[in-house]
Amino acid sequence: MLQSLIDVILPVFLVIGAGYTATRTGYFKEAHVDGLMKFTQGFAIPCLLFLAIAHLDLSASFDPRLLASFYSAAALCFTAGLFGARIIFGRDWEDCVAIGFCCLFSNSVLLGLPITERAYGPENLTGNYAIIAFHSPFCYGVGITVMEVVRNRGHGGVRMARSVLSAMFQNALILGIALGFLVNLSGLAIPAVVDEALGLITRAALPGALFALGGVLVKYKPEGDLRTIAFVCCISLMLHPSLVWIFGKSTGLTQDLFRSGVLNAAMAPGFNAYIFANMYGRAKRVAASAVLIGTATSILTVWMWLTLLG
């Protein structure tokens, strides 16, 4: 089982390492990394989310007990990260929101899908797809709303609401998800040539994003933030799956959905944690390092959760 985890996670590190090495040696400049980040964050990943949700069988994937268990736990982890960063580490409120987002957003696509598939087979991914369909809308909805409330405190409710809505609907990821749901629910067929073109773009999304993350890590080293990074990793890798375990057992989730919920919650902070921090220019070093260190640590913690799940 440990070897299978390494087989899944090691390629991720190799892509991140390639981006780090290319930037560290000067082959890639900071402007190149920024451009790649803009492409993945503003275009390729939104296309990936649009296409995935447009083709998702929502009726087969939706189970309120799974979503309630997973996202109640995620919201509690966001709250723990937010107030822990404020009370324990004395960060300002904007940094606290970005750190809370790192505790909220688990890597359900890049790690959750392949690890669940390797452990239980492709026929047991229904729960994973249900979580993925609502993951970005929920997490970005929470993160953007709280960040805009914090940034606009003292400016009145109307201005605050306008800022939240503006930030939500100017976010390319949210727009990609919303359009995907629109196509899915309306029954509109995506023309084959458009579907194929989007498929070409989406194949560049995740490796491009990981390569860019490697370049970003050249700038944001963990010195001075190691305690905060460890705090984020503990919440992401231990608290979140523990809460999903408790909630899932109490609601009587079926075995396949229960395993999908716990395993997705046990994943390290996803790349979107850095995207969110980069979007607001807050706690970027914590976010980038938490993605890297959390992913490395998850080799052992996910092995533990797989053993407990049986």
Side-chain angles (χ1 to χ4, degrees):
M1 186 64 73
L2 181 59
Q3 184 61 46
S4 68
L5 290 179
I6 293 174
D7 289 342
V8 169
I9 294 174
L10 184 58
V12 173
F13 274 99
L14 290 176
V15 178
I16 294 173
Y20 182 91
T21 303
T23 307
R24 186 75 175 179
T25 58
Y27 184 71
F28 257 55
K29 307 299 183 185
E30 184 176 336
H32 300 152
V33 175
D34 291 342
L36 184 56
M37 182 70 71
K38 179 68 173 177
F39 166 70
T40 55
Q41 178 179 332
F43 192 71
I45 293 177
C47 288
L48 172 68
L49 295 171
F50 165 77
L51 206 58
I53 293 174
H55 291 307
L56 187 66
D57 185 352
L58 296 176
S59 61
S61 304
F62 182 77
D63 188 310
R65 295 172 301 169
L66 171 64
L67 299 178
S69 298
F70 185 88
Y71 288 113
S72 295
L76 289 173
C77 289
F78 173 80
T79 304
L82 175 72
F83 288 104
R86 181 68 175 180
I87 295 168
I88 300 172
F89 304 110
R91 307 290 290 242
D92 63 37
W93 281 113
E94 286 84 353
D95 275 9
C96 291
V97 177
I99 291 168
F101 192 89
C102 292
C103 301
L104 170 70
F105 207 111
S106 53
N107 197 340
S108 59
V109 175
L110 203 60
L111 296 179
L113 272 176
I115 288 175
T116 305
E117 182 176 3
R118 282 180 177 273
Y120 304 115
E123 68 278 4
N124 288 297
L125 294 178
T126 299
N128 292 62
Y129 289 127
I131 290 169
I132 290 168
F134 296 97
H135 203 191
S136 288
F138 176 84
C139 294
Y140 274 99
V142 170
I144 289 174
T145 298
V146 176
M147 181 65 85
E148 293 300 330
V149 167
V150 167
R151 293 176 75 196
N152 290 280
R153 55 189 181 274
H155 294 294
V158 174
R159 176 174 173 178
M160 190 179 300
R162 188 182 300 116
S163 296
V164 169
L165 292 173
S166 175
M168 287 285 286
F169 288 102
Q170 288 179 5
N171 186 301
L173 298 171
I174 297 293
L175 291 175
I177 291 163
L179 290 172
F181 273 113
L182 180 64
V183 170
N184 191 312
L185 295 172
S186 67
L188 293 173
I190 302 174
V193 65
V194 175
D195 192 80
E196 182 63 27
L198 288 172
L200 290 172
I201 294 169
T202 59
R203 285 195 281 275
L206 295 179
L210 289 170
F211 189 94
L213 175 60
V216 166
L217 287 172
V218 173
K219 293 192 297 181
Y220 300 106
K221 298 179 177 62
E223 292 93 349
D225 285 321
L226 284 173
R227 290 173 64 240
T228 309
I229 295 163
F231 174 73
V232 169
C233 291
C234 285
I235 291 177
S236 297
L237 302 177
M238 300 304 296
L239 180 59
H240 193 181
S242 297
L243 291 173
V244 174
W245 186 294
I246 294 169
F247 296 155
K249 286 292 186 183
S250 66
T251 56
L253 272 178
T254 59
Q255 185 184 46
D256 62 324
L257 296 181
F258 177 75
R259 291 186 304 201
S260 289
V262 172
L263 277 183
N264 274 275
M267 295 302 115
F271 181 72
N272 283 282
Y274 178 75
I275 289 177
F276 183 85
N278 185 61
M279 188 166 66
Y280 285 104
R282 289 290 183 163
K284 292 195 286 186
R285 182 167 59 184
V286 171
S289 299
V291 172
L292 182 64
I293 294 172
T295 302
T297 306
S298 69
I299 294 175
L300 297 178
T301 57
V302 172
W303 187 32
M304 180 200 75
W305 286 111
L306 282 170
T307 302
L308 291 173
L309 287 166

